[in-house]
Amino acid sequence: MTEEQQDSASGNKPLFRDITGDDDTPEITEIESYCVNCEDQGLTRLFLTRIPFFREVIVASFSCDHCGHRNAELQPGGRIQDKGVRYEVLIKSKEDLNRQVVQTNFATVSIPELEFESPPNKGVLTTVEGIIQRAVDGLNQDQVLRRIQHPEIAAQIDAFVEKLEKLKEMKEPFKVLVDDPSGNSFIENPYAPKHDKEMSVHHYTRSKQQNEQLGLNEEDGEASDAAESGQAVSKDEVIEFQSNCPNCQAPSSTKMKMVDIPHFKEVVIMATNCDACGYRDNEVKGGGAIEAKGRKISLKITDPSDMSRDVLKSETCSILIPELDFETEMGTLGGKFTTVEGLLSDIQGQLKDSNPFFRGDSSQPGMVNKLTEFCGQLQKIVDGEMMGVHVVLDDPAGNSYLQNVYAPDPDPEMEVVEYERTFDQKEALGLNDMKTENYETT
C-alpha cells in the first residue's frame, strides 16, 4: 500500500494529491463566481494536483451556462522558489512539440529564431505546440478590424503568424526559452530519468526589480531576520521553529543545528517532522562561504562497504552516474547529509514513489518501463551486484563532501578535482553581480 493509499484509508488525505484512477474522489472544489463576460453568476472549479518531476499546481477552470464563456488557467500551488529558472530546449522533431510545459503568470516565453517574445500572461499547462498556437491565437485577435483600420500592420502580423504556423511543420529545428523569476515554470524531459541533451536548465539569483515584481520584500527574508537579530547560534544548540509540512501543508516543526564535519567544514542540518502525515525530511545548508573554486568528487564503487560512506550534498550540487548516462540538474533533491546508499535510495524515491505517472491509470507504459529498469540498476548498485560504477558529485560552490575512509591519507578510489567556474555557474550562484573590488561598507 502506497503512502497516499494509507492516507486515504485513515481519512487523512494530503492537500495536493497525485492523479490516479484509484482515487474516486479527486477533491474538485466548485465555487460560484462572477462572469466578466455577461456579468451573471458562473462556476469556477479548482483542482489541486502534482506534476511529475516537478511540484504542486492548482488547475482552475471557469464556465458560465448563461453566455457560454469559458476560461482555464494554472497557478503554482507552492511557494515562490529561492531562485528563478530559465529553460532552453531545442525542438528537433514533431515529438518534441508534445513536451509538457508549465507556464506561470510570471514566465516569459521566447523563440529566438523569430525574435519573438511573449510577456508574462496567465498561467497555463500546455505543450510546446500549445505555446505556438496560443501566440497565433493572440496575434489573430482583432485582425478582422485591424485589416480595415490598419492594413499595413495587419499584413505584417499575417506574415509573422505564417512563420509561427510553419514552426509546427518542423521543417527545421528551433529553440524555445522559458524564463520565470518565480522558479515555478517547467518543461518536460521525455528522457527522464536520463539527462536531456537538448535542454538546459539554469537557476539564477533574482534582481531587486524581479523581487519587487513578485511582491517579495528582501527585508523580510530569513537572512535579513538572522542578521537583524544579531544572535549567534551555538554548535550545541538545537533551534526549533514552526513551518508547514511540504507534503500535507499541516503545521509541523523543523529543527536546526550546526554540525562540524571532520576534514571539511561547518554545515547547518535542518530536519522536518510532521505528526499529521508522518512525513520526515532533512536538508543541509552550507555554514560557510562559497569556495574560491568549484569541486568535483568522483567515487568508484569497488566494495559494498562504499555504500556506508558519509555524503554531504549541498543544494547547489548535481549528481552524475556516467555508466548509467544519468545526470541531475543543480539543486535536485536539495541539500542532504546522508550516505551513498541513502543518496541512491533518494534518487529512486524521487523517480518512482513521487511520480504519479509511475502507477495507476495515468501511468505511461514507456515511461514506467524506463524508470523500472533504471531503478533496478540503482538497486543493483546498492545491493553490491554492480561494481565499478562511478558516483560523481559536481558542486560549483565547492560545499559538497564525500567521506574519505583513508583520511588523512589519499583515497585510491576517490578523485577530487577543483576547477574554475564557468560564467553560467557563476550566474547561478549570483557571483557575476557581486561587487568585490573597491567595496565599502557604511
Side-chain angles (χ1 to χ4, degrees):
M1 183 178 290
T2 66
E3 180 182 342
E4 189 163 299
Q5 290 171 333
Q6 291 174 350
D7 289 338
S8 299
S10 63
N12 184 18
K13 297 183 179 181
L15 188 60
F16 292 88
R17 299 191 307 200
D18 300 335
I19 302 176
T20 170
D22 300 329
D23 192 352
D24 297 329
T25 56
E27 299 283 350
I28 296 178
T29 304
E30 297 185 350
I31 306 171
E32 288 190 0
S33 52
Y34 175 80
C35 177
V36 297
N37 189 50
C38 69
E39 300 183 356
D40 210 323
Q41 287 295 317
L43 188 66
T44 296
R45 293 179 175 86
L46 302 176
F47 180 48
L48 283 64
T49 186
R50 294 189 183 98
I51 291 181
F53 304 106
F54 193 49
R55 56 177 63 92
E56 299 87 356
V57 296
I58 301 173
V59 181
S61 67
F62 174 83
S63 61
C64 179
D65 294 334
H66 301 282
C67 66
H69 177 67
R70 295 181 181 274
N71 188 24
E73 63 179 88
L74 180 139
Q75 298 177 356
R79 63 180 179 85
I80 293 176
Q81 303 304 306
D82 295 333
K83 293 187 176 183
V85 66
R86 184 182 299 114
Y87 286 87
E88 180 176 337
V89 59
L90 180 63
I91 307 301
K92 301 175 65 175
S93 64
K94 291 189 175 181
E95 287 76 15
D96 288 334
L97 293 174
N98 295 325
R99 288 179 184 248
Q100 290 188 10
V101 178
V102 175
Q103 180 185 351
T104 72
N105 54 327
F106 299 109
T108 299
V109 179
S110 59
I111 302 175
E113 284 78 2
L114 300 183
E115 297 184 0
F116 170 77
E117 180 174 300
S118 173
N121 204 332
K122 68 178 183 178
V124 64
L125 173 60
T126 182
T127 61
V128 173
E129 184 176 3
I131 289 177
I132 298 174
Q133 187 59 47
R134 192 182 186 192
V136 171
D137 294 341
L139 291 171
N140 280 331
Q141 188 175 5
D142 298 329
Q143 269 292 83
V144 175
L145 181 61
R146 196 180 290 117
R147 290 189 182 99
I148 300 173
Q149 297 178 342
H150 307 284
E152 294 182 358
I153 297 177
Q156 293 176 356
I157 293 177
D158 286 335
F160 189 81
V161 168
E162 185 178 352
K163 292 180 180 179
L164 286 173
E165 292 286 4
K166 286 184 178 180
L167 291 179
K168 295 189 288 185
E169 299 175 3
M170 288 310 306
K171 293 183 178 180
E172 58 183 20
F174 63 94
K175 287 184 178 180
V176 173
L177 280 69
V178 177
D179 191 335
D180 185 359
S182 75
N184 285 321
S185 288
F186 168 77
I187 297 181
E188 178 192 11
N189 172 11
Y191 307 103
K194 294 185 178 181
H195 180 66
D196 188 349
K197 297 179 181 179
E198 305 300 338
M199 183 170 70
S200 63
V201 184
H202 174 58
H203 299 271
Y204 60 88
T205 302
R206 286 185 289 267
S207 65
K208 183 178 180 180
Q209 182 181 3
Q210 288 173 326
N211 280 329
E212 291 176 352
Q213 291 173 349
L214 296 175
L216 297 179
N217 187 351
E218 295 181 354
E219 295 180 357
D220 293 337
E222 295 179 0
S224 296
D225 289 341
E228 291 174 2
S229 66
Q231 296 180 355
V233 179
S234 170
K235 291 182 181 179
D236 298 327
E237 183 180 3
V238 178
I239 297 178
E240 183 173 352
F241 55 91
Q242 296 300 312
S243 60
N244 289 336
C245 172
N247 186 52
C248 70
Q249 305 300 319
S252 60
S253 61
T254 298
K255 296 182 179 180
M256 181 176 69
K257 188 180 188 300
M258 294 283 293
V259 176
D260 190 1
I261 298 180
H263 307 290
F264 192 52
K265 60 173 66 175
E266 288 184 347
V267 296
V268 180
I269 296 182
M270 305 174 66
T272 300
N273 182 21
C274 179
D275 295 331
C277 67
Y279 176 81
R280 296 175 183 270
D281 188 31
N282 70 80
E283 187 174 359
V284 177
K285 301 284 187 180
I290 295 176
E291 295 296 316
K293 293 184 177 181
R295 180 181 293 116
K296 180 180 288 188
I297 307 172
S298 177
L299 172 67
K300 184 178 181 181
I301 307 298
T302 57
D303 190 88
S305 62
D306 289 332
M307 292 293 106
S308 61
R309 290 179 184 244
D310 289 335
V311 175
L312 170 64
K313 178 198 170 297
S314 78
E315 63 271 21
T316 58
C317 179
S318 59
I319 307 168
L320 298 87
I321 306 178
E323 288 78 5
L324 301 185
D325 193 22
F326 175 76
E327 179 180 355
T328 68
E329 298 292 341
M330 186 175 70
T332 304
L333 297 178
K336 288 186 175 291
F337 185 45
T338 179
T339 61
V340 174
E341 179 180 355
L343 188 64
L344 297 179
S345 298
D346 286 340
I347 295 174
Q348 289 189 66
Q350 182 74 14
L351 295 175
K352 183 169 62 177
D353 299 335
S354 302
N355 182 5
F357 284 0
F358 197 82
R359 58 183 183 273
D361 292 346
S362 60
S363 61
Q364 300 177 356
M367 179 68 73
V368 170
N369 292 336
K370 288 194 296 183
L371 291 177
T372 301
E373 180 183 356
F374 181 80
C375 289
Q377 291 177 315
L378 287 180
Q379 191 58 45
K380 286 183 179 180
I381 299 175
V382 172
D383 295 337
E385 299 176 6
M386 184 183 295
M387 296 287 103
V389 176
H390 292 79
V391 176
V392 182
L393 303 179
D394 189 353
D395 188 355
N399 286 328
S400 292
Y401 162 84
L402 204 158
Q403 182 185 12
N404 175 7
V405 294
Y406 298 92
D409 296 328
D411 190 328
E413 305 301 338
M414 187 166 69
E415 180 183 10
V416 181
V417 178
E418 293 188 344
Y419 60 87
E420 295 290 341
R421 287 181 281 263
T422 64
F423 178 86
D424 289 340
Q425 289 173 330
K426 291 180 180 179
E427 184 73 14
L429 297 174
L431 298 179
N432 289 333
D433 299 325
M434 189 176 296
K435 183 178 179 181
T436 58
E437 297 180 356
N438 301 323
Y439 182 77
E440 296 179 359
T441 59
T442 57

